[in-house]
Each structure stands twice: as C-alpha cells, then as structure tokens.
C-alpha cells in the first residue's frame, strides 16, 4: 500500500489547531494535527451530499440564494449545484484560506471542481459573520462546520450552534427558508434547540458512503412565521 504524503498545513483562525492535507494514491484526507483520525476523507462523502439534497430538494424558491458554511472537500457544494437551477447563487463561507486553495488545487478534481461554477462565490470568512451581515437574504443555509454541534476544532463554534447562533441563522433566512446542519454524531439536545429557535425540525441519519458505512446526522429546520 502506498504511504500517505503530506501536502500542506493550515492554522485554524481563533484556535491552536492546525489542519493538514494528506494524499495516498487517489485518496485525500484532511486531519487535525495530533489526532489519529480523519476530519474529512474523499472516500466518505455520502452524508455531506445528503446535507445538500435534504436541504434543497423541493426548496421551491425562485432564483434561490444559498449559503454553505464550510467548504471541506467540496462535496456538499457539488451536490448543491447539481440540485439548484441555473439562476441560483451560492455563497460558500470558509474560514481557512488554505482550504479554498486546496480546492482550487489538488482537491478540486475529487468533487468535480465545483468552485469553477459561475454560480459560486467564496467568502473567506466566518459563516456566523456572513449570516449576521445579510439578514433575510438566503433561502437555505447549510452548515458543515467543525463536525457539528459538538465539534472539536474551534471553540467559537459553540456560538454558531447555540441559541444566539440559531437566532442569527433564522434572521438570515427568507420566509419559509431552510436551515440544514451536518454532524458526525446525533446530539438530541440540538434537536430541541432548533425547535426552541423557531424551526420545524426533522432529523435524518444518512450513511457516510451512499448506503453503507457509519451513520451521520443531518437536521433540517424550516423557518416558521
């Protein structure tokens, strides 16, 4: 078996963590330095694609405006573009500039180069700040940040998934808009938090590898009146 090759490293703003990009043959991995497991892997992206499918299928908005928090390896973005019409606009908020560079470079091919799509705009910024500065702009917001509500790479993500962050997300949505959140694990208290924040909430458990592998969690919440 071919060895893993280290392609690059990137500090995570606001924390002491460092992301590392690795490659073995055609497989890619993004890891947090000092941890023995993948944060993302190019062979396990079924649930990231499900995040987009669950949020956007049947959205119903004309010329939809979508915000994706977290670029990752581009699989959620690619699935969103496959579902959305030609007149849609997708903003991707990615905090780590090197992740954007990796997706323009060695990672681009694994998801089909979604950053080349003219519907896409990338903001190298905190998705929370993007939501705060764009009230009632988006028909859907998809969050795939720090492995979900109980993530490990950035303490500030607590503000994103707590009551204040959910209120910010709700305010950034248009009437009847959809918030979708990906998580590596099921967090029952987050279901309650979404409901308390004014979302009609559903919980889904897609598998990591299109019908096989471990189960992850996706919450979808529609903004109430």
């Amino acid at each position: 078996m071919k060895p893993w090759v280290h392609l690059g490293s990137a500090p995570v703003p606001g924390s002491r963590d460092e992301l590392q990009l690795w490659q073995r043959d055609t497989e890619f991995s993004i890891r947090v330095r000092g941890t023995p497991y993948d944060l993302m892997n190019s062979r396990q992206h079924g649930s990231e694609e499900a995040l987009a499918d669950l949020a956007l299928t049947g959205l119903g908005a004309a010329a939809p405006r979508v915000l994706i928090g977290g670029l990752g390896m581009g699989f959620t973005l690619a699935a969103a573009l496959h579902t959305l019409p030609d007149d849609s606009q997708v903003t991707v908020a990615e905090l780590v500039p090197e992740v954007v560079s990796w997706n323009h470079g060695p990672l681009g091919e694994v998801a089909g180069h979604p950053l080349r799509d003219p519907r896409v705009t990338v903001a190298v910024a905190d998705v929370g700040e993007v939501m705060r500065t764009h009230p009632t702009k988006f028909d859907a917001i998809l969050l795939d940040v720090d492995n979900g509500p109980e993530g490990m790479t950035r303490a500030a993500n607590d503000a994103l998934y707590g009551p204040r962050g959910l209120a910010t997300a709700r305010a950034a949505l248009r009437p009847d808009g959809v918030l979708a959140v990906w998580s590596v694990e099921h967090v029952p208290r987050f279901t309650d938090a979404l409901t308390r924040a004014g979302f009609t909430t559903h919980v889904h458990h897609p598998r990591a590898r299109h019908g096989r592998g471990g189960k992850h969690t996706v919450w979808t919440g529609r903004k109430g009146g």
Side-chain angles (χ1 to χ4, degrees):
M1 181 177 293
K2 293 184 178 180
W4 285 100
V5 177
H6 179 231
L7 300 182
S9 298
V12 179
S15 81
R16 297 181 180 179
D17 295 316
E18 178 184 86
L19 297 183
Q20 296 183 335
L21 177 63
W22 295 80
Q23 181 179 7
R24 181 177 62 189
D25 198 13
T26 60
E27 180 181 4
F28 292 87
S29 168
I30 294 179
R31 306 169 189 169
V32 176
R33 181 171 58 100
T35 61
Y37 44 81
D38 297 334
L39 186 62
M40 289 163 262
N41 186 285
S42 60
R43 294 184 178 179
Q44 299 185 43
H45 48 84
S47 61
E48 285 85 353
E49 293 170 341
L51 172 66
D53 293 340
L54 290 165
L56 303 176
T57 299
L59 188 61
R65 304 296 181 261
V66 175
L67 172 63
I68 297 176
L71 175 59
M73 292 185 171
F75 291 111
T76 297
L77 174 59
L81 294 170
H82 180 75
T83 300
L84 290 166
D86 292 341
D87 59 354
S88 61
Q89 294 181 12
V90 182
T91 301
V92 181
E94 172 53 57
L95 187 67
V96 182
E98 289 86 351
V99 171
V100 179
S101 298
W102 296 342
N103 275 268
H104 280 297
L107 281 179
E109 188 174 354
V110 299
H113 296 285
L115 292 183
R116 296 179 181 177
D117 194 295
R119 293 172 288 177
V120 176
T121 300
V122 176
V124 180
D126 187 316
V127 66
E129 184 61 25
V130 175
M131 292 190 295
R132 281 189 291 274
T133 55
H134 293 87
T136 62
K137 176 176 181 177
F138 301 107
D139 298 290
I141 297 173
L142 287 60
L143 298 180
D144 182 2
V145 179
D146 194 15
N147 271 346
E150 294 190 350
M152 63 180 182
T153 63
R154 191 164 178 257
N157 284 335
D158 290 343
L160 184 63
Y161 297 115
R164 183 175 296 180
L166 293 178
T168 298
R170 191 176 186 278
L173 286 167
R174 293 175 174 175
D176 208 37
V178 173
L179 173 66
V181 177
W182 184 94
S183 176
V184 71
E185 60 185 354
H186 185 211
V187 184
R189 63 178 178 80
F190 186 67
T191 307
D192 297 333
L194 278 168
T195 302
R196 289 195 300 271
F199 293 97
T200 301
T201 306
H202 299 278
V203 185
H204 316 267
H205 297 288
R207 291 191 179 273
R209 296 193 181 194
H210 293 292
R212 60 192 181 94
K215 288 185 178 181
H216 295 152
T217 300
V218 172
W219 291 268
T220 54
R222 191 169 292 273
K223 179 178 177 178

